[in-house]
Every structure is written in C-alpha cells, then in structure tokens.
Amino acid sequence: MTPETAQAILDDNFAPWVRALQPKITEIGASRTVMTIPITPQINRVGDIVCGQALVALADTAMVFACFGHMDALEPIGTVTLDTQFLRPASGDAIRAEAEVTRMGKAMIFTRCTLIAEPSGKAVALVTATFAR
C-alpha cells in the first residue's frame, strides 16, 4: 500500500470530522505509518494548546492505518481499547503521528503511537490501542 492509496482510503471512507483535521499520510508500510495534521485554530483550546480530542483522533486514525499497512490491505477493524498518556502540551505548526503494530493475532491487533509536535520534535503523547479484526 502506498501513501497515496492510503490517503485515498482515508479521504473516501473516514468521518468528516476526522477529515476536518486535514490528516496527511506520508509513510505507510509493514513496520510503521506516519501521519501529520496541521495545528489550526479549530483544534486549539485556551493557551494555543491542541485539544486532547484532536490528538486522540489522530492517534486512533494513524494506528488504524498502521494495521492496514501491516496487512497491506483494507480490512474492517474496530477499536476495542484506547489508552493515552499526555506528556506535555502540544503546540507548534503540526503534530506527527508515528504508529506501529506491536502484535497481530487472528482476532486482535495491538498497536502503539507516539505523537510529536513539530517543529520542536518533542513527544506530546503516547497512545496504545487494541483493535478487533
């Protein structure tokens, strides 16, 4: 699966409010997926800090695409668990999500994602999720 194919899947199939984050898939493969969103006034809260809801939506979406990249296929999956540790306030120009599959079973997929503020390069959140196949 190429980044262009993955982007088309996202643009054609994901909810409008996810697409409103303007996610761009820059890398996808068996080992990881990288996705970015710009930091805009629409996702900032008081203090020009990115709201947690936008960060979690980005992480969940990036981990879904990490699953697709790992399988090299579009397969229906559903989020079962989602655990987020916010490390510091997210600010800057963009947020980069680096997601990977840690274990793929017959019925469950385990993933993790690091969210990184750009241009500082500092991690702002660590997220893990389990998906049902």
Side-chain angles (χ1 to χ4, degrees), residues 108-128:
M108 303 295 280
I109 308 167
F110 301 88
T111 62
R112 68 176 159 220
C113 181
T114 302
L115 298 178
I116 301 160
E118 294 298 348
S120 73
K122 293 182 178 179
V124 297
L126 301 174
V127 186
T128 58

Side-chain angles (χ1 to χ4, degrees), residues 26-79:
T26 58
E27 180 182 335
I28 187 165
S31 61
R32 77 177 190 158
T33 292
V34 178
M35 179 181 292
T36 62
I37 61 169
I39 295 177
T40 64
Q42 291 77 17
I43 64 171
N44 275 347
R45 64 176 186 82
V46 174
D48 286 332
I49 297 167
V50 179
C51 70
Q53 296 92 331
L55 295 172
V56 172
L58 170 61
D60 185 57
T61 305
M63 289 183 286
V64 165
F65 277 91
C67 294
F68 295 162
H70 190 83
M71 296 182 286
D72 196 30
L74 174 61
E75 181 179 313
I77 60 172
T79 307

